[in-house]
Amino acid sequence: MGSPVSPILAQYVMDDLLESCLNQLPFEIPFLKKYVDDIILTIPQGSTQTLLQVFNSYHPRLQFTIEEEDDNHSVPFLDTKVIRKDDNKLITSWYTKPGASGRFLHYESYHEQRQKVNLVLGMKNRVLKTSHTTLKNDNLHKLAKKFIDSGYPKKLVHGLLFSRSSLQNQPQINPNNSINNNNPLIKYFSLPHIKHLNSKFKNVFKKIQ
């Protein structure tokens, strides 16, 4: 754990595990997705114990637990909840674990305003990408409540989450600002954030440019 090679080794082990275990199952698996050691799949009804027995027989130190879909035909996978509709189509929704604190970087913390705004916009992107169209609005309201509980002004949160132009206002990279190889070496320095002072530094540097 903690070694740079860990993700690579985990990938190799899980690939070998799946190849070995799937060939031992007496039924076909029409749907399977994997992220490191988290797996979501569909199996025939009543074959849960067979699946678990085969996977846990791969190695005594690799033991799995299983979670079946609930009464709403949904099951969590990473930060999404996969929902099976009546027509057997699958849709996804943004998901947080029941034990999650729901806390973000507090608005009164000693960080730049841009960092707090980017946090809200980043979480908005995450919710939109993991939520089906019919669930996006409800999930954005849940996200808004979490930020408001973390001290963010309600007006700011709603402006960022529910404004169509909020994502368009993010700073864009100017391709004309690429480094010219003929220029001398440029050195960069990082300054600690000092309230009311950093903005004055920025204005000074802008004038120099």
Side-chain angles (χ1 to χ4, degrees):
M1 295 299 292
S3 171
V5 77
S6 296
I8 301 173
L9 292 178
Q11 183 77 13
Y12 287 154
V13 171
M14 288 301 301
D15 287 346
D16 184 72
L17 181 147
L18 286 175
E19 183 178 358
S20 173
C21 293
L22 294 181
N23 289 330
Q24 299 179 46
L25 294 174
F27 48 79
E28 294 291 330
I29 295 183
F31 170 80
L32 184 148
K33 295 293 181 182
K34 170 179 70 72
Y35 184 82
V36 191
D37 61 340
D38 285 320
I39 304 171
I40 183 171
L41 46 77
T42 57
I43 58 176
Q45 190 172 7
S47 55
T48 303
Q49 291 305 315
T50 301
L51 177 77
L52 200 58
Q53 182 178 0
V54 170
F55 271 65
N56 286 340
S57 65
Y58 176 80
H59 194 281
R61 292 189 179 181
L62 297 178
Q63 298 298 297
F64 291 82
T65 58
I66 195 168
E67 184 173 357
E68 301 181 66
E69 64 178 24
D70 55 25
D71 294 336
N72 296 321
H73 305 296
S74 66
V75 63
F77 180 63
L78 304 175
D79 62 345
T80 63
K81 175 168 283 191
V82 181
I83 305 168
R84 181 170 60 88
K85 306 300 288 183
D86 293 337
D87 54 2
N88 281 333
K89 289 184 178 180
L90 301 179
I91 65 173
T92 60
S93 179
W94 177 55
Y95 172 77
T96 55
K97 294 182 179 180
S101 65
R103 291 178 294 181
F104 295 107
L105 176 69
H106 199 277
Y107 190 74
E108 297 298 328
S109 62
Y110 208 58
H111 293 76
E112 289 192 70
Q113 180 73 2
R114 177 180 295 185
Q115 185 173 352
K116 299 167 188 174
V117 169
N118 285 341
L119 174 61
V120 178
L121 294 177
M123 286 303 303
K124 175 181 179 179
N125 269 335
R126 190 171 180 176
V127 168
L128 293 179
K129 288 180 179 179
T130 56
S131 301
H132 187 263
T133 306
T134 59
L135 303 172
K136 287 180 179 180
N137 192 56
D138 288 342
N139 285 336
L140 284 177
H141 278 89
K142 293 177 184 177
L143 181 63
K145 184 180 184 305
K146 291 180 182 293
F147 275 111
I148 293 172
D149 290 343
S150 295
Y152 287 70
K154 184 176 180 180
K155 185 176 181 180
L156 173 65
V157 171
H158 280 254
L160 292 172
L161 294 183
F162 301 104
S163 171
R164 293 184 178 180
S165 61
S166 60
L167 294 179
Q168 300 174 359
N169 292 333
Q170 297 186 69
Q172 301 293 325
I173 298 176
N174 187 349
N176 296 325
N177 289 338
S178 58
I179 298 176
N180 189 334
N181 293 330
N182 296 324
N183 290 339
L185 181 64
I186 302 175
K187 294 184 178 180
Y188 295 89
F189 298 91
S190 177
L191 298 176
H193 175 62
I194 304 174
K195 196 171 184 179
H196 304 309
L197 186 59
N198 287 57
S199 58
K200 295 181 180 180
F201 275 130
K202 291 179 182 179
N203 293 332
V204 172
F205 292 143
K206 287 180 180 178
K207 292 179 180 179
I208 295 176
Q209 292 178 350

